[in-house]
Amino acid sequence: MRRPPRVEMFTLPQKDFSAPTTCLGPTCMQDLGSSHGDDLEGECSRKLDQKLPELPGGIINLGVSENKLCFDLLSWRLSQSDMQRVEPSLLQYADWRGHLFLREEVAKFLSFYCKSPAPLRPENVVVLNGGASLFSALATVLCEAGEAFLIPTPYYGAITQHVCLYGNVRLAYVYLDSEVTGLDTRPFQLTVEKLEMALREAHSEGVKVKGLILINPQNPLGDIYSPEELQEYLVFAKRHKLHVIVDEVYMLSVFEESVGYRSVLSLESSVLPLFPCRALCRLPDPQRTHVMWATSKDFGMSGLRFGTLYTENQDVATAVASLCRYHGLSGLVQYQMAQLLRDRDWINQVYLPENHARLKAAHTYVSEELRALGIPFLSRGAGFFIWVDLRKYLPKGTFEEEMLLWRRFLDNKVLLSFGKAFECKEPGWFRFVFSDQAHRLCLGMQRVRQVLAGKSQVAEDPAPSQSQEPSDQRR
Amino acid sequence: MSHWSDTLPVPSGQRRDQVPRGHSIYPQLLEITLHLRQAMREHFVQLTSRQGLSLEERRHTQAIREKEALLSCLICRMINLLQSEATSDLELQVPLPSEDSRGDVRYGQRAQLSGQPDPVPQLSDCEAAFVSRDLSNRGIDISVFYQSSFQDYNAYQKDKYHKDKNTLGFINLGTSENKLCMDLMTERLQERDMNCIEDALLQYPDWRGQPFLREEVARFLTYYCRASTQLDPENVVVLNGCCSVFSALAMVLCDPGEAFLVPAPFYGGFAFSSRLYAKVELIPVYLESEVTVTNTQPFQLTVDKLEEALLEARFEGKKVRGLVLINPQNPVGDIYSPDSLMKYLEFAKRYNLHVIIDEIYMLSVFDESVTFHSVLSMKSLPDRNRTHVIWGTSKDFGISGFRFGALYTHNKEVVSAVSAFGYLHSISGIAQHKLCQLLQNTEWIDKVYLPTNCYRLQEAHKYITAKLKALEIPFHNSSSGLYVWINLKKYLDPCTFEEERLLYCRFLDNKLLLSRGKAYMCKEPGWFCLIFADELPRLKLAMRRFCDVLQEQKEALIVKQLEDAMRE
């Protein structure tokens, strides 16, 4: 197995991009140190799992959050003749914010699907090559090196690297528990008290916090924040003059209607009667609220590299656009994205219903399997994953054991993500990605069962020093 | 607290007792600072508009202007801080001006310099800083640096010339783009083989670039760079543009504040790429146009000059990590001979410097009597592990909007470190497929594209140089690239960068966008870069505007000289 590459040669400065030392906490350094764990997730799993079923010995990847259920629909749509247009202007330098025609389409699209009270404006849209780039650019223009964003954990761990690599920005964790205590009504519940506490803690450690990152629908919990909760967090942020980055990359992957997901862009002042005076403010602090969306998840095209920022703050938009020189996407792809996003009929009548139905079926299958095994899990019908509680399989309840269990899964050719990668406080949680074709999913679950039943025919655990931690750069 | 407001002037007629009790001093401080800034600005306008004639005085003016920039930047930060406090205390929302209301720096300064009173208060670069209380300091820097450099380009983007729809729009001979083969490229990219949607293209890729594309790039470079041995796909990293490659390289080769040597004049885009994210300094190795005993050619790079620049940089306590070479050169359009290239590489090896060689114009050599030698064609490199080559399709295939740049380096550490940045500069899988198809079709490239492109470049070059000769404008006769490097010194009196800037503005007023020498860090004022790789009708119109401006400038010079003579 490949070791994480380290930049140690004398010809390079003593910067180690695999492990930026400025990030908070030793654990996050470890995660970064193994950023090339995605070599494992990516290369070997890709090479192997795509060959299935011709190659039944390949690794089944239930670790990377990709939607592989709708390639048929998407490749059909992307092969239509309207997608193949090539114009000189698409081949030349353009506005680094993105072509206007695309930003107009994005504004319309988000207005419609986020149910914004007023039409969103193309001037507030910046287009980049993916959500990771957007995190990087936002961190750079909102924070000085060494400053931090608050983030509730467990969270999509790759953000650590996104904000650190160029921006040298850290994350300050708001730890959540699975235990329902006090005023909490559900596991891993985020409350303003916890936010306040984490903020105080960061301050006491001399860390300057510039913002709050919220992922909604949540990754890895598969849960959503209610509009009321969201409003509370936003008011908290306003009180402390924090920016809020709301990552809504799963907003159209809510496959249970009853969940009642609301985008932050749909918020009106009427939600919370405490602030009726801000007639013009739809949000507590619109100038500090920045919304992210991308096609990677909702359209299952992580390889397409399209992400977008929506912010009313022109300074932020302009500053991010200044960095877009490094995060631009091909004009031809911009054209295709505009065509895709404007095809409301296909999205509403074909893509979304079918995608939701398939997600629901896959979800039902995996959750039934887990129930049959008597394994507790969390999942409320959003996203591609189930947050699975395997604590009972760890006799001592340590992260070492979590790692060993992950290893056992991998040795039995099924790749999962372990809780530590999401900075989960409690050892024993795993994220199962279920958005894959049935035959792979069945095989994957079969292998999971084998491991949990202790029947995997694999050699004993390797020494911890040889073990490799995965990171989840691909979410 | 109160004696503060007694002693300090309170602007806008506000008296101390009007300030409500219980409120902090921040809003007041803010207003005072705003006032101070206004006063400072007026003072500087007075200072700098007193234009003396002597070189000494002009230098002085330049120095004052630099000080002004520094001071106003500091004040802006102060205002930023104060404003955030003031607003938090009073919930006083200072209305944020919309983007459109932001003044145009250049015009503002111009108006001030030409001594015309300006009724509307002009917003300076730092105005961006003033309104952006939400940005970090580096965010402000990035924004201001970018906007001040690209505002003219943005003006062009919003008001482009079109032969039917916008005949009065800007013509851009300032951005290095090849627009001569759009017909070929559009056609090629619409062909059947380009449109392939496979599952793998829509999934997370290898962040170094899809293996099929890296293989193709290695094969392509082996062939077109005439590499002595087959190049290895494992040494290739593909990103969304050469500026991304340069940015990532700067990031992994240098710590913030460290530096690269670059022969100047050089392509100004590097200044961004090294500064925006990586904070790496570019130290110019100044080249001269004049031919002397040691300088046998205009703008000749010699090892002596490199040595001298390195020594000087080290003397100033700067840590130089590498040397950046652009070959074929931008903007001079020359090609380094294998011998001189070897000397530069040996120089670099002697001082343990990395060499970044940008060969982005390697297929745009239109003078058939000249042969380009890629560094990859050298049998033995002095320091293989410190030689990094950049190439992309933007110039040679005229598809700058496609966003593709490649790095080739034997240094595995550099490959892996740059790859760590790959996911921030990734290319869409769909685009990777198209690129692969494009590069694969050597037959089309060799038989159709390259000959046509070369012919069209020759024709455009011929046209533009004939025009320049007719105007008796000296230019550097280039053999490659998309540009001519022209000398407009005779239109500047006195020959300063300030006058160069004013001439540049005159072009702009006539809806012609050019690049001036200063943007290329040229040491001598008066040089301009003219991009000629545009369609003939547009080029003709551009040259008409060009002539008009120079005529205008000539007349203005005569008037000025007359006035001066009368004064004496």
Side-chain angles (χ1 to χ4, degrees), chain B residues 134-183:
Chain B
D134 292 320
L135 297 181
S136 62
N137 287 330
R138 57 183 177 176
I140 293 169
D141 279 347
I142 290 167
S143 221
V144 167
F145 184 50
Y146 189 84
Q147 277 189 307
S148 61
S149 312
F150 276 80
Q151 57 188 344
D152 301 331
Y153 178 73
N154 289 338
Y156 152 74
Q157 280 288 356
K158 284 183 189 130
D159 182 19
K160 270 188 199 178
Y161 168 82
H162 188 279
K163 65 181 189 315
D164 308 316
K165 291 181 211 150
N166 190 13
T167 50
L168 294 177
F170 281 101
I171 298 185
N172 183 357
L173 301 189
T175 305
S176 186
E177 271 190 295
N178 185 350
K179 295 175 185 160
L180 291 170
C181 291
M182 277 298 150
D183 52 340

Side-chain angles (χ1 to χ4, degrees), chain A residues 121-261:
Chain A
R121 294 149 54 100
E123 308 86 275
N124 299 341
V125 174
V126 183
V127 170
L128 309 88
N129 65 341
S133 303
L134 189 45
F135 268 118
S136 170
L138 276 175
T140 305
V141 305
L142 297 179
C143 306
E144 310 298 345
E147 293 181 346
F149 286 120
L150 283 180
I151 192 162
T153 77
Y155 73 103
Y156 164 52
I159 294 175
T160 312
Q161 205 186 357
H162 299 343
V163 299
C164 201
L165 207 50
Y166 268 127
N168 229 328
V169 169
R170 323 157 166 212
L171 295 177
Y173 302 130
V174 185
Y175 286 108
L176 307 180
D177 303 300
S178 65
E179 212 75 11
V180 180
T181 53
L183 296 170
D184 290 1
T185 54
R186 58 174 200 275
F188 297 108
Q189 189 175 3
L190 179 64
T191 61
V192 172
E193 289 71 39
K194 291 177 196 170
L195 285 168
E196 294 278 6
M197 207 165 71
L199 184 62
R200 271 200 305 274
E201 211 163 289
H203 280 311
S204 71
E205 286 166 19
V207 176
K208 184 154 184 202
V209 174
K210 272 295 188 52
L212 165 67
I213 297 174
L214 294 173
I215 308 172
N216 190 32
Q218 296 161 49
N219 179 0
L221 297 177
D223 202 349
I224 58 141
Y225 297 122
S226 72
E228 293 77 18
E229 285 175 317
L230 207 50
Q231 188 85 15
E232 282 174 28
Y233 310 146
L234 294 173
V235 169
F236 154 83
K238 184 183 167 72
R239 193 158 57 239
H240 296 283
K241 282 180 261 157
L242 299 180
H243 289 271
V244 186
I245 299 175
V246 189
D247 179 358
E248 299 192 344
V249 75
Y250 290 99
M251 73 168 184
L252 298 179
S253 303
V254 182
F255 52 91
E256 292 289 354
E257 289 260 330
S258 60
V259 167
Y261 168 76

Side-chain angles (χ1 to χ4, degrees), chain A residues 148 206 211 230 251 269 373 420:
Chain A
L230 207 50
M251 73 168 184
S269 49
L373 288 165
K420 185 79 200 164

Side-chain angles (χ1 to χ4, degrees), chain B residues 258-467:
Chain B
E258 295 183 345
F260 288 138
L261 291 180
V262 197
F266 65 87
Y267 164 64
F270 279 157
F272 295 99
S273 305
S274 59
R275 178 166 160 180
L276 288 193
Y277 265 134
K279 306 276 175 227
V280 168
E281 193 187 344
L282 297 182
I283 297 176
V285 182
Y286 288 115
L287 308 181
E288 278 136 33
S289 63
E290 215 152 315
V291 177
T292 58
V293 186
T294 48
N295 210 34
T296 55
Q297 282 170 39
F299 299 107
Q300 191 182 13
L301 178 65
T302 60
V303 171
D304 285 347
K305 288 176 196 169
L306 287 170
E307 296 267 6
E308 201 181 320
L310 180 66
L311 200 71
E312 206 171 303
R314 289 190 169 171
F315 186 70
E316 284 170 24
K318 282 171 185 158
K319 192 159 182 194
V320 177
R321 295 303 300 246
L323 166 67
V324 180
L325 296 175
I326 307 173
N327 190 29
Q329 293 163 53
N330 179 2
V332 178
D334 282 341
I335 287 172
Y336 294 125
S337 71
D339 287 348
S340 36
L341 201 53
M342 187 52 107
K343 280 184 196 138
Y344 311 144
L345 293 176
E346 277 162 358
F347 155 81
K349 183 186 166 74
R350 205 153 49 238
Y351 294 100
N352 293 331
L353 299 180
H354 288 271
V355 184
I356 298 176
I357 302 187
D358 180 1
E359 298 191 346
I360 194 163
Y361 291 99
M362 72 168 185
L363 299 180
S364 303
V365 182
F366 53 84
D367 183 342
E368 277 151 358
S369 64
V370 174
T371 315
F372 167 76
H373 294 274
S374 165
V375 74
L376 292 174
S377 71
M378 293 182 156
K379 285 233 162 52
S380 66
L381 287 170
D383 195 355
R384 217 165 78 130
N385 262 323
R386 288 205 190 90
T387 310
H388 319 295
V389 185
I390 300 179
W391 181 75
T393 48
S394 301
K395 313 300 176 187
D396 285 344
F397 286 94
I399 47 173
S400 35
F402 213 94
R403 314 312 306 136
F404 166 80
L407 166 70
Y408 191 89
T409 174
H410 290 103
N411 190 321
K412 299 287 180 211
E413 311 278 335
V414 172
V415 166
S416 105
V418 168
S419 304
F421 287 82
Y423 72 102
L424 298 177
H425 306 294
S426 54
I427 312 173
S428 174
I430 294 178
Q432 294 200 39
H433 171 79
K434 289 183 205 279
L435 282 163
C436 181
Q437 294 303 112
L438 178 70
L439 300 182
Q440 210 162 54
N441 195 343
T442 321
E443 190 171 316
W444 178 80
I445 297 174
D446 279 343
K447 295 204 174 125
V448 182
Y449 179 75
L450 285 182
T452 317
N453 188 40
C454 183
Y455 175 74
R456 289 179 185 179
L457 282 174
Q458 282 168 355
E459 288 300 301
H461 183 255
K462 224 180 276 169
Y463 170 77
I464 212 110
T465 48
K467 270 273 165 200

Side-chain angles (χ1 to χ4, degrees), chain A residues 5-15 17 36 38 43 46 50 64-66 68 71 74-75 78-79 84-88 90-97 129 132-133 136-137 139-145 156 158 161-162 165-169 210 238 241 243 278 287-288 296-297 300-305 313-316 318-319 321-323 325-333 336 473-475, chain B residues 84-85 88 91 93 96 99 102 128 131-139 142-143 146-147 150 153 157 160 175-177 179 182 185-186 189-190 195 197 199-208 240 243-244 247-248 250-256 258 267 269 272-274 276-277 321 354 385-386 394-395 398-403 411 413-414 416-417 419-421 423-431 434:
Chain A
R6 301 217 157 236
V7 183
E8 278 163 357
M9 222 173 90
F10 68 102
T11 53
L12 298 180
Q14 292 306 306
K15 282 199 236 177
F17 295 101
H36 287 254
D38 51 75
E43 279 164 35
R46 184 164 322 289
Q50 279 174 4
V64 176
S65 180
E66 277 189 290
K68 295 177 185 162
F71 285 138
L74 284 160
S75 43
L78 291 171
S79 313
Q84 320 307 350
R85 178 113 160 249
V86 181
E87 261 179 43
L90 299 175
L91 301 179
Q92 295 171 2
Y93 285 122
D95 188 338
W96 288 113
R97 284 174 186 232
N129 65 341
S133 303
S136 170
T140 305
V141 305
L142 297 179
C143 306
E144 310 298 345
Y156 164 52
Q161 205 186 357
H162 299 343
L165 207 50
Y166 268 127
N168 229 328
V169 169
K210 272 295 188 52
K238 184 183 167 72
K241 282 180 261 157
H243 289 271
R278 304 243 191 313
Q287 285 292 320
R288 289 205 187 89
S296 314
K297 308 304 171 188
M301 307 187 292
S302 30
L304 198 114
R305 317 310 302 140
N313 190 321
Q314 277 307 312
D315 296 312
V316 173
T318 306
S322 307
L323 289 171
R325 203 179 154 77
Y326 308 102
H327 307 298
L329 70 161
S330 171
L332 297 181
V333 177
Q336 294 183 324
Q473 182 161 301
R474 309 140 197 277
R475 23 178 154 190
Chain B
S84 64
E85 284 305 324
S88 75
E91 286 293 323
Q93 286 285 331
L96 297 173
E99 202 187 9
R102 247 176 240 169
V131 292
S132 38
R133 63 205 163 98
D134 292 320
L135 297 181
S136 62
N137 287 330
R138 57 183 177 176
I142 290 167
S143 221
Y146 189 84
Q147 277 189 307
F150 276 80
Y153 178 73
Q157 280 288 356
K160 270 188 199 178
T175 305
S176 186
E177 271 190 295
K179 295 175 185 160
M182 277 298 150
M185 287 312 297
T186 334
L189 289 167
Q190 269 169 324
N195 302 316
I197 308 289
D199 293 3
L201 298 177
L202 299 181
Q203 295 178 9
Y204 281 121
D206 181 339
W207 296 117
R208 286 179 294 169
N240 65 341
C243 50
S244 300
S247 170
M251 196 78 189
V252 306
L253 298 180
C254 301
D255 282 320
E258 295 183 345
Y267 164 64
F272 295 99
S273 305
S274 59
L276 288 193
Y277 265 134
R321 295 303 300 246
H354 288 271
N385 262 323
R386 288 205 190 90
S394 301
K395 313 300 176 187
I399 47 173
S400 35
F402 213 94
R403 314 312 306 136
N411 190 321
E413 311 278 335
V414 172
S416 105
S419 304
F421 287 82
Y423 72 102
L424 298 177
H425 306 294
S426 54
I427 312 173
S428 174
I430 294 178
K434 289 183 205 279

